[in-house]
Amino acid sequence: MPQLNGGGGDDLGANDELISFKDEGEQEEKISENSSAERDLADVKSSLVNESETNQNSSSDSEAERRPPPRTETSFREKARESLEEAAKRQDGGLFKGPPYPGYPFIMIPDLSGPYLPNGSLSPTARTCVNVPLDLHLTSCCSPLMQYLQMKWPLLDVQTGNLQSRQALKDARSPSPAHIVSNKVPVVQHPHHVHPLTPLITYSNEHFTPGNPPPHLQADIDPKTGIPRPPHPPDISPYYPLSPGTVGQIPHPLGWLVPQQGQPVYPITTGGFRHPYPTALTVNASMSRFPPHMVPPHHSLHTTGIPHPAIVTPTVKQESSQSDMGSLHSSKHQDSKKEEEKKKPHIKKPLNAFMLYMKEMRAKVVAECTLKESAAINQILGRRWHALSREEQAKYYELARKERQLHMQLYPGWSARDNYVGGYGKKKKRKRDKQPGETNEHSECYLNPCLTLPPITDLSAPKKCRARFGLDQQNNWCGPCR
DNA sequence: CAACCTTTGAAGGAA
DNA sequence: TTCCTTCAAAGGTTG
């Protein structure tokens, strides 16, 4: 997979990244059909089956074989026209017509079709201040933090005063008043589904495709508002930390920025970081229009003491282990070193495009396929990822690029190497290599349509089927599992 | 209870 | 430049 230009420029594009999936030709059309099927939203679950079956029928597992001959210029134009039409449809009020993820409509930035033009190049709008083209109040919109804020919570710029101009534009584009409502409703209506990737999720066209939601989503409609609830299993997933009753406690997409009750705050120590948040307080000023509970408090720890999800303080366990008095090797130097490590926050890597996609789609896959095992879910997601259109992928690449850019700005001195074993103390052995000819006695598991996946090479443990299918689908278990 | 599994992508280091 | 390794998320499973 081609990698991004690490230069950090705005021209960082997914063009190269998407080469692998650009020339999908016939398959892409099939995928498009599948996408249409998904848009049809008649049956997401069956669409998953179709998708998988299509993939199986039309291609082998070989990535190269999957890739049909390069498409013609004509098909590109057609694709471009389709994209334009689709974008036009979205802007034509369909944007907020009961998206499966109504909690994310506020990402409805004008340039919805994504930062990439149909020919794969970045659109001009995408090169500028993303998400905040109109917010004149946010004069520092181009600062990384502001971009991040906008990205993390696009609602921000709606509530930060320039609603009129924004509405003016939107009104010109869409007569539907729905977007006005959507500026606020989703946050209230779906407090339990606004995880930190909320704004990222919104980049998925799938969520904004007009039409009827899939059955499992359709059934999940707020009886009061008529607005579909986000699709998630009845049991609250980690993405939905709040129960439906705790509407008032909206998990802010800037949760890392706004400490909340019951949520850990990850203080930033000054050590090792150079001005991670240069304009943090400036941001606070502009955020004064937030409801009180959303306004980040001014920490005395650091003028830039904005917690970030990428920051994880060392666990207590580590501290306890470090205080083990049994060690005869503990020297003063070692102690100070440990102390240093103890204080040093763990800055996680920025999520890449696929990770962002996974975070968004995991709950959906779990709900559709009644899977629990992340390994199996990830396989599905991996296939779905490949089945995504390049436009859809481009959105995630773009988001990942912004994440990296901001991460770079927030933690200039940080290196991915810092998180390697030894850098943080987190032990993680490398997975053991599997033998190529290893058999898969669970091959029959793939009778389950949701699991029409590439062969899972290591399912030696009988309990795998229980995790994959659940107790209620024991008929799908393979023999050994029964 | 830490590590594994599983996916893709980014990043860093070695060759 | 290419290849390899590690980590990022997630949560059930394993030893």
Side-chain angles (χ1 to χ4, degrees), chain A residues 1 95 130 142 192 212 220 239 268 330 336 426 433 474:
Chain A
M1 193 52 120
L95 213 53
V130 181
C142 286
H192 52 300
N212 300 324
D220 195 9
Y239 288 126
I268 298 177
S330 58
S336 62
K426 187 165 70 175
D433 293 333
Q474 295 189 28

Side-chain angles (χ1 to χ4, degrees), chain A residues 98-105 193 201 207-208 217 228 230-231 240 360-361 363-364:
Chain A
Y101 284 82
Y104 317 125
H193 194 283
I201 293 172
H207 305 314
F208 304 101
L217 298 178
Y240 320 117
E360 174 186 340
M361 300 300 294
K364 190 177 178 183

Side-chain angles (χ1 to χ4, degrees), chain A residues 357-370:
Chain A
Y357 173 76
M358 275 211 320
K359 288 198 80 170
E360 174 186 340
M361 300 300 294
R362 171 175 297 278
K364 190 177 178 183
V365 171
V366 170
E368 289 174 358
C369 297
T370 63

Side-chain angles (χ1 to χ4, degrees), chain A residues 430-470:
Chain A
R430 211 47 226 154
K431 59 184 175 184
R432 50 180 179 271
D433 293 333
K434 289 187 280 282
Q435 298 300 325
E438 209 167 342
T439 58
N440 176 20
E441 63 178 351
H442 294 248
S443 58
E444 59 181 296
C445 293
Y446 305 107
L447 294 174
N448 184 318
C450 275
L451 296 175
T452 45
L453 308 169
I456 299 175
T457 54
D458 186 14
L459 285 176
S460 56
K463 287 184 179 179
K464 293 282 185 181
C465 278
R466 188 183 67 183
R468 293 168 67 87
F469 300 104

Side-chain angles (χ1 to χ4, degrees), chain A residues 165-217:
Chain A
S165 60
R166 182 167 294 274
Q167 283 181 347
L169 177 80
K170 285 188 175 181
D171 290 345
R173 293 169 175 267
S174 169
S176 170
H179 64 275
I180 299 175
V181 175
S182 68
N183 286 339
K184 292 181 178 179
V185 168
V187 175
V188 177
Q189 293 297 332
H190 313 283
H192 52 300
H193 194 283
V194 187
H195 63 71
L197 281 170
T198 294
L200 309 181
I201 293 172
T202 61
Y203 277 74
S204 173
N205 284 342
E206 189 176 349
H207 305 314
F208 304 101
T209 304
N212 300 324
H216 74 285
L217 298 178

Side-chain angles (χ1 to χ4, degrees), chain A residues 47-350:
Chain A
S47 74
L48 176 63
V49 175
N50 294 337
E51 172 188 302
S52 301
E53 288 177 348
T54 302
N55 288 340
Q56 276 195 336
N57 295 336
S58 62
S59 62
S60 67
D61 287 334
S62 166
E63 188 66 28
E65 289 176 321
R66 285 182 55 212
R67 221 168 290 137
R71 90 170 78 172
T72 62
E73 188 67 24
T74 308
S75 63
F76 260 112
R77 291 196 192 98
E78 291 175 356
K79 188 76 178 180
R81 192 182 65 239
E82 291 173 3
S83 298
L84 290 175
E85 291 174 355
E86 189 173 337
K89 284 180 183 176
R90 290 196 195 103
Q91 295 175 358
D92 191 22
L95 213 53
F96 303 105
K97 289 180 180 177
Y101 284 82
Y104 317 125
F106 34 71
I107 39 82
M108 289 312 93
I109 49 181
D111 194 13
L112 255 196
S113 56
Y116 294 89
L117 298 175
N119 64 1
S121 61
L122 261 176
S123 69
T125 54
R127 295 172 184 271
T128 56
C129 296
V130 181
N131 296 352
V132 286
L134 298 175
D135 196 340
L136 302 178
H137 290 274
L138 300 175
T139 53
S140 60
C141 68
C142 286
S143 72
L145 186 54
M146 285 312 302
Q147 286 189 2
Y148 198 60
L149 292 176
Q150 293 299 327
M151 186 171 66
K152 286 292 183 186
W153 200 23
L155 180 60
L156 175 63
D157 69 357
V158 175
Q159 293 190 332
T160 48
N162 206 0
L163 183 60
Q164 285 186 343
S165 60
R166 182 167 294 274
Q167 283 181 347
L169 177 80
K170 285 188 175 181
D171 290 345
R173 293 169 175 267
S174 169
S176 170
H179 64 275
I180 299 175
V181 175
S182 68
N183 286 339
K184 292 181 178 179
V185 168
V187 175
V188 177
Q189 293 297 332
H190 313 283
H192 52 300
H193 194 283
V194 187
H195 63 71
L197 281 170
T198 294
L200 309 181
I201 293 172
T202 61
Y203 277 74
S204 173
N205 284 342
E206 189 176 349
H207 305 314
F208 304 101
T209 304
N212 300 324
H216 74 285
L217 298 178
Q218 197 170 25
D220 195 9
I221 295 178
D222 190 317
K224 292 181 180 178
T225 64
I227 298 176
R229 292 192 182 108
H232 63 85
D235 50 326
I236 305 302
S237 83
Y239 288 126
Y240 320 117
L242 296 181
S243 65
T246 57
V247 173
Q249 301 178 5
I250 303 171
H252 198 293
L254 288 171
W256 57 273
L257 179 65
V258 184
Q260 298 175 9
Q261 285 185 343
Q263 287 194 341
V265 176
Y266 308 113
I268 298 177
T269 61
T270 55
F273 301 105
R274 295 177 277 133
H275 308 295
Y277 292 91
T279 58
L281 294 181
T282 307
V283 172
N284 284 350
S286 64
M287 292 173 68
S288 61
R289 283 162 285 189
F290 274 76
H293 72 283
M294 291 183 176
V295 178
H298 292 261
H299 292 278
S300 58
L301 297 173
H302 191 286
T303 56
T304 62
I306 301 175
H308 188 280
I311 302 175
V312 175
T313 54
T315 62
V316 176
K317 187 183 179 182
Q318 284 179 311
E319 296 179 5
S320 63
S321 64
Q322 289 168 357
S323 62
D324 186 358
M325 301 302 290
S327 175
L328 297 175
H329 303 284
S330 58
S331 64
K332 201 170 186 178
H333 175 70
Q334 284 176 330
D335 284 345
S336 62
K337 192 176 181 180
K338 288 178 180 178
E339 198 72 21
E340 218 171 277
E341 290 179 357
K342 192 165 64 178
K343 289 180 180 178
K344 186 178 180 180
H346 179 68
I347 300 174
K348 295 182 179 179
K349 294 176 66 174

